[in-house]
Amino acid sequence: MKVKKKKRAYKASNLPPGTMAYKGKKTSLKTVIDIINYSNQTFTKLDCNDVEDGFHFEGNEQVTWININGLNNIEDIEKLGTHYKLHPLTLEDIVNTSQRPKLEEFENYFFVVFKMLYFKDDDDLQYEHLSMVVGSDYVLTFQESDGDVFDDLRERIKAAKGRIRSQGADYLMYAILDAIVDNYFTVIEVIGDKIEDLEASIFESQTDNSTTPGQIQQLKQEVLKIRRSIFPLREVINRLEKSDNSIINEKSVSYIRDLYDHIIQVNEAIDLYREMVWSLMDMYMTIISNKMNEVMKVLTIIATIFIPLTFIAGIYGMNFTYIPELQYKNGYFVLLGAMLVLFIIMLIYFRRKKWL
């Protein structure tokens, strides 16, 4: 099985720092904006196409969550950046889909980059670049296209379930990260099932030998890609926990600490599955080698049995004028009987030696 090489999208070259240049594959014809504004007593939700619709919520002592779908529409993102006074390098990283997960702390906001992983159509794993800007009373999230893992979170805010409506923007940041990390568990659970199924298939010799190496290599690449997407988030959450920025309330620190424990569990599971995938090829080659050894053992035993029989047949096939046994009336049948007895004796010997 031939593994296809994918072209990587790198940062645009020869552009000055702070220049916005979207290099992702997911494009939207128009920007879709979801705005949720809430407090302990109020809730407002808007679906619109103009980023300026969310500006009037600012400064009303409520929490505003603006989610932007579509990073290719740079003008809309620039409007948000201008209104919320985002640094040009922040805007550059928002549309840079090759950016690794990281945390940057500015004077009036946090900037967090991470990867959102989820399954589309059951078995199609999606990798999506997602950025988040967290201010004192607002949260901005930027994702490449429609579809995310925040439906349960939106429903909790709408129905006022739990404590989220009574908390600030820092708790909303935690809830978003928690939804991302919880979905990581779902992803790695599916990957674990794939590894175990392939391992059982290899061990039971039910997999076509021509496709097994390709399946192992494809699974290995998938695990490594997941690890590259998730592993740096551990450092991000650890820095959030230790930050003394006034944006993060002391009450939220304990939740962030619990989130850190979860991301550690995810990383440990990924490392375990990575070792399992690497051992699959060794196990496959060992099984193939054992099968070859079994074949060679059978062929060797057959050759060993026929060596003395060939020797006997060779003696009586020599062209001497006088061989006494050739004149014996039943000599042919005696010779066949002797060969059969010798054959049986060798089989018994091989069985006692446990070679058969």
Side-chain angles (χ1 to χ4, degrees), residues 136-152:
S136 58
D137 60 352
Y138 67 90
V139 173
L140 311 178
T141 51
F142 303 85
Q143 53 188 81
E144 294 182 72
S145 59
D146 292 335
D148 52 40
V149 297
F150 304 134
D151 289 341
D152 291 339

Side-chain angles (χ1 to χ4, degrees), residues 69-330:
N69 295 317
L71 300 183
N72 58 304
N73 300 306
I74 294 177
E75 292 182 0
D76 294 329
I77 299 176
E78 285 181 333
K79 288 181 181 179
L80 275 173
T82 302
H83 180 77
Y84 286 100
K85 300 178 181 179
L86 303 183
H87 196 280
L89 293 178
T90 298
L91 297 176
E92 178 186 359
D93 289 339
I94 287 175
V95 298
N96 181 15
T97 58
S98 62
Q99 181 65 254
R100 73 191 297 271
K102 67 174 185 177
L103 168 68
E104 291 182 350
E105 188 173 345
F106 293 87
E107 183 179 353
N108 59 335
Y109 67 89
F110 280 109
F111 176 59
V112 187
V113 177
F114 47 94
K115 305 298 180 181
M116 180 167 58
L117 277 59
Y118 61 93
F119 283 100
K120 185 178 181 180
D121 300 329
D122 295 333
D123 200 35
D124 185 16
L125 182 58
Q126 299 290 313
Y127 299 83
E128 188 166 339
H129 175 77
L130 201 147
S131 306
M132 178 167 55
V133 176
V134 184
S136 58
D137 60 352
Y138 67 90
V139 173
L140 311 178
T141 51
F142 303 85
Q143 53 188 81
E144 294 182 72
S145 59
D146 292 335
D148 52 40
V149 297
F150 304 134
D151 289 341
D152 291 339
L153 175 58
R154 294 187 181 99
E155 184 60 31
R156 281 163 48 200
I157 297 175
K158 180 180 179 181
K161 294 181 180 179
R163 58 180 61 86
I164 190 165
R165 290 270 289 268
S166 61
Q167 303 294 324
D170 58 330
Y171 189 87
L172 177 58
M173 173 194 68
Y174 155 75
I176 292 173
L177 289 173
D178 186 56
I180 293 290
V181 173
D182 284 348
N183 207 64
Y184 287 165
F185 282 104
T186 302
V187 171
I188 62 174
E189 184 178 351
V190 173
I191 295 298
D193 291 340
K194 286 184 179 180
I195 295 174
E196 292 175 359
D197 291 343
L198 184 57
E199 184 181 29
S201 183
I202 294 173
F203 188 76
E204 295 170 3
S205 303
Q206 295 177 355
T207 305
D208 184 7
N209 293 341
S210 62
T211 62
T212 299
Q215 291 177 354
I216 295 175
Q217 183 65 19
Q218 185 177 5
L219 194 56
K220 177 181 176 181
Q221 291 179 352
E222 193 170 13
V223 170
L224 290 177
K225 187 174 181 180
I226 292 173
R227 188 176 186 273
R228 284 196 300 267
S229 300
I230 294 178
F231 187 78
L233 192 58
R234 174 177 176 175
E235 178 186 351
V236 171
I237 298 175
N238 186 35
R239 287 183 57 193
L240 276 175
E241 179 191 350
K242 296 179 180 179
S243 175
D244 57 357
N245 194 299
S246 60
I247 294 176
I248 299 181
N249 192 291
E250 292 183 3
K251 296 179 180 179
S252 300
V253 173
S254 58
Y255 296 107
I256 297 175
R257 186 179 301 115
D258 181 68
L259 183 62
Y260 181 67
D261 293 338
H262 291 174
I263 197 64
I264 287 179
Q265 294 177 29
V266 171
N267 281 306
E268 288 176 348
I270 294 174
D271 289 338
L272 174 62
Y273 290 145
R274 184 181 61 164
E275 295 295 331
M276 290 177 65
V277 170
W278 286 355
S279 67
L280 284 180
M281 185 62 76
D282 293 336
M283 185 178 72
Y284 170 74
M285 296 304 299
T286 300
I287 291 175
I288 294 298
S289 178
N290 289 339
K291 288 183 178 180
M292 183 63 68
N293 290 339
E294 290 293 328
V295 173
M296 293 302 298
K297 184 174 71 173
V298 172
L299 294 177
T300 302
I301 290 175
I302 292 175
T304 303
I305 290 175
F306 276 91
I307 286 175
L309 303 184
T310 304
F311 175 74
I312 295 174
I315 291 178
Y316 289 99
M318 292 186 297
N319 295 324
F320 286 106
T321 303
Y322 179 70
I323 299 179
E325 292 85 355
L326 295 179
Q327 306 301 322
Y328 182 61
K329 180 179 179 180
N330 297 319

